[in-house]
Amino acid sequence: MHCITRTTVKIMTWTPTREDFTTYMLPNYNPQAVIPVRGEGSRLWDQDGNEYIDFAGGIAVNALGHAHPTLVEALKTQGEQLWHLSNVYANEPALRLAKTLVDATFADKVFFCNSGGEANEAALKLARRYAHDHYGAQKDRIVSFRQSFHGRTWFTVSVGGQEKYTQGFGPVPGGIVHGSYNDLDSARELINDDTCAVMVEPMQGEGGVTPATPEFLAGLRQLCDEHNALLIFDEVQCGVGRTGHLYAYMAYNVVPDILTSAKALGGGFPIGAMLTTDKVAEVFVVGTHGSTYGGNPLACAVGLAAVQTIGSAEVLAGVGRRHQLFREHLESINDKYDCFAEIRGMGLLIGAEFNERYHEKGRDTLAAAIKEQLMLLIAGPNVLRFAPSLIIPEEDIAEGMARLDRAIGSLSV
Ligand SMILES: *Cc1c(COP(=O)(O)O)cnc(C)c1O
């Protein structure tokens, strides 16, 4: 029983357990049994001092591993200077990061927020507002694709292509339609003169680690141009070095009107960004959109260090080499167990889809991997997903793969 008259906070220290999660946290997650307490590079240690190899990277976030000295330094330095101002004042870290992103991409302008979902929310609102101001209120249709994931706010989850995430929450916002990913004909049927935006992940992450075909993205660009619709690339998961390019659009050579970024952008510190051109940005006049924490100095100082480090030729080139290593290891695991139907992905976002014999063994593999002291991800019940640090040492890849081999070997099929 909670007593409403007791209003003080008791100061106490104790060591929380996994059971405390069930006691104190909402049941919308089901975390693994172990609680990591420390990380360094691509290794983590739990409360009992057991060491783990990290192939999950905090869901494609810790792109420089854990406790990277450059990021730690940026956080400490900024932490002693200034934490927060709000958007009533400009701040140096936000301006530095904005200029860095503008100089490195197609974009002229940047809006900062705190997460991928918020970046996409801003992108969708911007596209609606742009169409409204230039062409009229009827131009409000948003086209996206099944299996896509764009966040959990009500607008972004409705634009996302997985119905199970919107069921039971009441009426979804109007004007949203879904086509089939990598199917240009299906997009062509949906995109018309009332379309204000097409939102697409250049590589679907949550939906199964599926890269777009070059023809698909180029075709979307053309359809958007024909119908005065804005092309939005959701690069929340595939951006910031993940593909071996600073942003995935650079690999495809297809330039969007709006790009959203988060996850690896902060290397573990929460930050989101929406990038766009001057022409589109112009409609967000004072007061149209905002965020209390957006452009927070701590987040932007760490983000700047992350982008500068990841954006170096050395780190980006290393991603391709590591991709090859992951692929070779996964192929030899497949030779041994005959478990995968397909190994796919770009750079260090890699999916290994189970075949019929191992159908929907994803969750079991995560649990078996933890027993072998390996952290990895799934993308749906049937796909193992690898999103490690972009600078994961080669010996950590080899050791992690030896553990994955044992984990898969322990599954009963
Ligand atoms: C993770 C993700 C999001 C949502 O980001 P949050 O920071 O969780 O709000 C949006 N789009 C894609 C492609 C993602 O992978």
Side-chain angles (χ1 to χ4, degrees):
M1 253 315 275
H2 294 269
C3 173
I4 57 165
T5 57
R6 199 183 76 205
T7 55
T8 57
V9 174
K10 270 196 294 181
I11 297 173
M12 55 177 176
T13 42
W14 91 113
T15 303
T17 64
R18 172 62 178 80
E19 284 71 59
D20 287 321
F21 184 93
T22 309
T23 309
Y24 297 111
M25 308 280 275
L26 270 80
N28 57 321
Y29 304 121
N30 180 22
Q32 299 287 335
V34 299
I35 300 182
V37 292
R38 188 169 71 80
E40 197 183 315
S42 288
R43 306 227 173 194
L44 283 155
W45 288 266
D46 72 12
Q47 291 171 314
D48 300 324
N50 300 311
E51 169 253 291
Y52 299 82
I53 302 264
D54 186 6
F55 281 177
I59 316 188
V61 166
N62 302 304
L64 292 169
H66 299 275
H68 189 283
T70 310
L71 302 198
V72 172
E73 182 58 35
L75 184 61
K76 278 187 179 166
T77 305
Q78 189 59 41
E80 287 170 355
Q81 281 175 5
L82 185 68
W83 285 25
H84 181 71
L85 280 171
S86 87
N87 45 50
V88 178
Y89 307 93
N91 74 74
E92 289 185 356
L95 296 174
R96 285 195 191 103
L97 180 56
K99 177 173 165 41
T100 302
L101 291 171
V102 163
D103 287 350
T105 67
F106 75 97
D108 306 309
K109 294 283 192 284
V110 180
F111 170 80
F112 288 120
C113 49
N114 313 290
S115 67
E118 279 177 66
N120 284 332
E121 184 85 18
L124 293 165
K125 284 181 70 180
L126 178 64
R128 280 261 175 92
R129 189 62 179 245
Y130 179 85
H132 174 276
D133 291 4
H134 286 274
Y135 304 100
Q138 82 294 341
K139 193 173 172 69
D140 65 0
R141 171 182 275 218
I142 291 162
V143 176
S144 73
F145 300 94
R146 282 184 282 279
Q147 293 301 114
S148 67
F149 183 80
H150 299 302
R152 296 289 199 143
T153 68
W154 193 227
F155 197 0
T156 59
V157 82
S158 304
V159 172
Q162 302 194 48
E163 245 171 53
K164 63 174 191 237
Y165 293 149
T166 50
Q167 271 161 10
F169 291 106
V172 294
I176 301 166
V177 292
H178 297 95
S180 304
Y181 192 68
N182 276 341
D183 178 348
L184 201 52
D185 288 335
S186 120
R188 194 173 287 116
E189 274 169 29
L190 296 176
I191 300 171
N192 59 28
D193 286 342
D194 287 341
T195 303
C196 67
V198 175
M199 178 173 260
V200 65
E201 293 164 83
M203 170 161 48
Q204 287 188 335
E206 304 296 315
V209 189
T210 311
T213 62
E215 307 74 55
F216 184 58
L217 293 188
L220 291 181
R221 176 71 274 175
Q222 199 186 342
L223 286 167
C224 283
D225 291 342
E226 283 166 17
H227 296 284
N228 294 318
L230 299 179
L231 182 59
I232 305 171
F233 279 179
D234 177 348
E235 294 221 21
V236 169
Q237 188 153 165
C238 65
V240 195
R242 191 57 54 191
T243 62
H245 298 259
L246 186 60
Y247 284 103
Y249 83 85
M250 297 165 176
Y252 286 92
N253 210 10
V254 175
V255 180
D257 301 291
I258 303 174
L259 180 149
T260 56
S261 188
K263 292 203 166 98
L265 182 60
F269 203 98
I271 184 171
M274 174 184 70
L275 281 59
T276 190
T277 59
D278 275 327
K279 181 160 185 276
V280 176
E282 188 183 84
V283 299
F284 258 19
V285 297
V286 172
T288 44
H289 191 60
S291 159
T292 296
Y293 289 117
N296 172 275
L298 285 172
C300 291
V302 179
L304 179 66
V307 169
Q308 285 174 339
T309 308
I310 293 167
S312 71
E314 189 195 343
V315 170
L316 293 177
V319 171
R321 200 168 62 242
R322 288 171 175 80
H323 173 93
Q324 272 317 318
L325 278 173
F326 266 84
R327 228 175 231 282
E328 284 161 21
H329 281 290
L330 287 169
E331 272 156 15
S332 55
I333 288 175
N334 196 29
D335 288 343
K336 187 161 163 191
Y337 297 109
D338 183 22
C339 49
F340 301 132
E342 189 182 25
I343 297 160
R344 57 179 180 252
M346 293 165 72
L348 285 174
L349 187 54
I350 296 169
E353 180 164 5
F354 280 125
N355 61 19
E356 276 306 315
R357 287 200 318 125
Y358 282 76
H359 187 62
E360 305 212 334
K361 286 285 183 199
R363 271 236 144 229
D364 292 350
T365 310
L366 289 197
I370 277 294
K371 287 200 189 109
E372 298 295 338
Q373 301 180 204
L374 172 68
M375 290 168 171
L376 74 161
L377 298 167
I378 50 177
N382 214 33
V383 179
L384 299 183
R385 174 171 39 148
F386 304 85
S389 160
L390 304 182
I391 54 170
I392 182 170
E394 296 187 4
E395 60 267 30
D396 289 7
I397 299 177
E399 176 56 30
M401 283 296 174
R403 295 178 188 188
L404 180 63
D405 185 327
R406 291 199 293 275
I408 291 180
S410 76
L411 299 174
S412 50
V413 283

